[in-house]
Amino acid sequence: VSQAAWKTLLGRTPLRHDIEAQLRAHMQWRAVLPGEAVFSHLEPARELVILAQGDAALGRKQADGSFHTERSVHGPAWLDASSAWLEGAHLQDAVALSPCQVVGVPSSALQAVLLDHPALAPQLLASQGQQVHTLIEVIHDLMHKDAEGRFAAWLLQRCSSGGSDASGDDADAATVTLHERKRDIAAQLAITPETLSRLLRQLKRKGLIDVLGYTVRVLDVPRLRALAAV
Amino acid sequence: VSQAAWKTLLGRTPLRHDIEAQLRAHMQWRAVLPGEAVFSHLEPARELVILAQGDAALGRKQADGSFHTERSVHGPAWLDASSAWLEGAHLQDAVALSPCQVVGVPSSALQAVLLDHPALAPQLLASQGQQVHTLIEVIHDLMHKDAEGRFAAWLLQRCSSGGSDASGDDADAATVTLHERKRDIAAQLAITPETLSRLLRQLKRKGLIDVLGYTVRVLDVPRLRALAAV
DNA sequence: CGAACCCTTGATACGCTTCAACAAGAGTGG
DNA sequence: CCACTCTTGTTGAAGCGTATCAAGGGTTCG
């Protein structure tokens, strides 16, 4: 876990080197291959789980063995930063989508580090707070936006966070490449793959985007933003 | 904020008395009358906000001035435990539904207390983690359950948490009293008041519940649980 | 009494899912 | 190499669930 990764995990303030050194001693690394489970909602959560590298999906394993993605995560990011504090089980299942490096930090160890370095507490609280904000945003979208609005919002977010392609800053025409299967994107948006397919066609017909396989060119940001607005 | 209230806020472990005394010095009390705003998503969040007593609603104020409830809160509980750590604004608006006692704890003060008492950190992290779990549960319900299932789950939760009425433990026939307007319940479930009305009639016709104004008698817990299951 | 709420009920409309069929690529084995 | 299967995405037709619109009844309050 590099300094840059910690910055992503904890927010803007960097992690002090002495704290990082002490944390490093407790971290438990493991590699997870695509398709394998990172953790299950059945096992008790004793450690905070960080996705150092790779892509993973959070969701619930269905009774029939299939997996229903609720949120997809691109490392470095937290996979589960909250369950371990509750002395309960994980709330979701997590599976790797690509080869992943996963780090576990036992909450007991973290508690010890917190005793030595109280400055770490606000950073952890901030990163958890960031997660709360993200989740509330998701809830807001699910409650008030239709499928088109949710997809527009999803596209814009992809567009802005690292999605932009070449030269032209953000004038127009950003290119978004879909790394995941379209059915997984659909699952995140709580729609069926069929509906997503139709949405892509609709937006293309309206001239808002251009679609070519797994590459989407965003042509008209303002109108897309209007669709994404409540 | 009594010891019992702190227990509700922070999880099972009680708050140490010396910590509580130091916190108390920084807490800022204010009373909020029904209909008034507790905070707005426009103002920056400098303090954690606790609802010590009363009922409040979290949601978004619409452009036309009306308020769309996304979650209703019954004190003692957190109103916003995460925004203050992010140096940003509140993410939602909060309005009082009944006369409320609201407590603000400046995050700067809390940070100072954390330096003196690192034992507080895991408790704060646990309470925030609890909130994350609640939100994930809400998202899960919104994504995978239909209106009937969400309402059934809502009823069962109300039924178990303090809702039970008289003698018969949980054999059957718990009575749930709706404190809030039905349109607010509907808003929380992301359905229209009309649909909620129809749902009540349907479930009554099926013999699962009995409805009399704002009193709902739950007659058949198992079948209700079956509806609430994904 | 009328006005302003709230809840209910019905008719209708729309968004999205479901089901079924089909095309296109990837892997496999003859 | 081709035939075969498995998976993924696409497209169309039909149906369900929920929203919307409109009307009416029950309270409460001036």
Side-chain angles (χ1 to χ4, degrees):
Chain A
V1 181
S2 66
Q3 264 296 337
W6 279 117
K7 205 167 177 181
T8 311
L9 289 170
L10 293 176
R12 66 207 103 214
T13 41
L15 185 62
R16 271 169 42 194
H17 284 82
D18 54 339
I19 302 183
E20 202 252 331
Q22 193 173 344
L23 272 180
R24 192 199 300 271
H26 297 293
M27 301 193 314
Q28 301 190 348
W29 289 76
R30 61 201 154 105
V32 182
L33 294 177
E36 282 184 358
V38 180
F39 55 75
S40 144
H41 74 276
L42 298 170
E43 49 186 285
R46 284 188 239 288
E47 45 182 43
L48 308 193
V49 185
I50 298 169
L51 179 63
Q53 205 175 35
D55 290 283
L58 286 166
R60 279 284 226 304
K61 207 180 326 186
Q62 305 298 52
D64 64 354
S66 72
F67 187 84
H68 212 146
T69 303
E70 290 177 357
R71 217 155 61 80
S72 92
V73 178
H74 178 74
W78 290 103
L79 268 184
D80 187 343
S82 39
S83 300
W85 299 110
L86 296 173
E87 301 173 15
H90 292 288
L91 199 62
Q92 298 177 301
D93 298 310
V95 296
L97 297 175
S98 65
C100 287
Q101 290 294 326
V102 176
V103 181
V105 186
S107 62
S108 55
L110 198 45
Q111 216 159 326
V113 177
L114 275 168
L115 287 180
D116 287 353
H117 303 286
L120 180 58
Q123 295 191 269
L124 287 174
L125 284 162
S127 77
Q128 231 184 357
Q130 181 57 55
Q131 200 183 349
V132 169
H133 272 215
T134 305
L135 295 177
I136 289 181
E137 197 69 39
V138 171
I139 291 176
H140 184 81
D141 285 6
L142 284 172
M143 291 180 105
H144 302 310
K145 291 180 187 169
D146 59 1
E148 194 177 41
R150 292 202 298 277
F151 179 59
W154 184 91
L155 256 186
L156 288 170
Q157 189 181 329
R158 272 290 167 102
C159 198
S160 61
S161 74
S164 103
D165 192 27
S167 48
D169 254 46
D170 61 312
D172 247 21
T175 301
V176 178
T177 307
L178 313 179
H179 311 294
E180 353 169 31
R181 294 182 303 176
K182 290 188 181 173
R183 58 178 11 157
D184 286 323
I185 299 173
Q188 285 177 62
L189 297 170
I191 60 180
T192 57
E194 292 94 325
T195 301
L196 178 58
S197 178
R198 286 184 251 268
L199 276 178
L200 284 167
R201 191 154 42 108
Q202 273 179 46
L203 293 179
K204 181 174 177 177
R205 190 166 44 73
K206 292 197 220 162
L208 297 185
I209 62 175
D210 198 31
V211 187
L212 200 76
Y214 279 82
T215 306
V216 178
R217 287 196 29 166
V218 177
L219 301 176
D220 193 337
V221 175
R223 282 172 66 196
L224 216 50
R225 220 184 289 275
L227 282 182
V230 183
Chain B
V1 180
S2 66
Q3 264 297 334
W6 279 117
K7 205 167 176 180
T8 311
L9 288 170
L10 292 176
R12 66 208 102 213
T13 43
L15 184 64
R16 271 168 44 193
H17 284 82
D18 54 340
I19 301 183
E20 201 252 332
Q22 193 172 344
L23 272 181
R24 193 199 299 272
H26 297 293
M27 302 192 313
Q28 300 190 350
W29 290 76
R30 63 200 153 106
V32 182
L33 295 177
E36 282 184 0
V38 180
F39 56 75
S40 145
H41 73 277
L42 298 170
E43 49 186 285
R46 285 188 239 286
E47 46 182 42
L48 308 192
V49 184
I50 298 169
L51 179 63
Q53 205 176 35
D55 290 283
L58 286 166
R60 281 283 227 302
K61 208 181 323 188
Q62 306 297 52
D64 64 353
S66 73
F67 186 85
H68 214 146
T69 303
E70 289 176 357
R71 217 153 62 79
S72 92
V73 178
H74 177 74
W78 291 102
L79 268 184
D80 187 343
S82 38
S83 300
W85 300 110
L86 296 173
E87 301 171 17
H90 291 289
L91 199 61
Q92 299 176 300
D93 299 309
V95 296
L97 297 175
S98 65
C100 287
Q101 291 294 327
V102 176
V103 181
V105 186
S107 62
S108 55
L110 198 44
Q111 217 160 327
V113 177
L114 276 169
L115 287 180
D116 287 352
H117 302 287
L120 181 58
Q123 295 192 269
L124 287 174
L125 285 162
S127 77
Q128 229 183 359
Q130 181 59 53
Q131 199 183 349
V132 169
H133 272 215
T134 305
L135 295 178
I136 288 181
E137 198 68 39
V138 171
I139 291 176
H140 184 81
D141 285 6
L142 284 172
M143 290 181 103
H144 302 309
K145 292 179 186 168
D146 59 2
E148 195 176 41
R150 291 202 299 276
F151 179 60
W154 184 91
L155 256 185
L156 288 170
Q157 188 181 330
R158 272 288 166 104
C159 198
S160 61
S161 74
S164 105
D165 192 27
S167 46
D169 254 46
D170 60 313
D172 248 22
T175 302
V176 177
T177 306
L178 314 179
H179 310 295
E180 354 170 28
R181 293 183 304 177
K182 290 188 181 172
R183 57 178 14 158
D184 286 323
I185 299 173
Q188 285 177 63
L189 298 170
I191 59 180
T192 57
E194 292 95 324
T195 301
L196 177 58
S197 179
R198 287 185 250 268
L199 276 177
L200 284 166
R201 191 153 42 106
Q202 273 180 45
L203 293 178
K204 181 174 178 177
R205 191 167 43 72
K206 291 198 219 162
L208 297 185
I209 63 176
D210 198 31
V211 186
L212 200 76
Y214 279 82
T215 306
V216 178
R217 287 195 30 167
V218 177
L219 301 174
D220 193 337
V221 175
R223 281 173 66 198
L224 216 51
R225 220 184 288 275
L227 282 183
V230 185

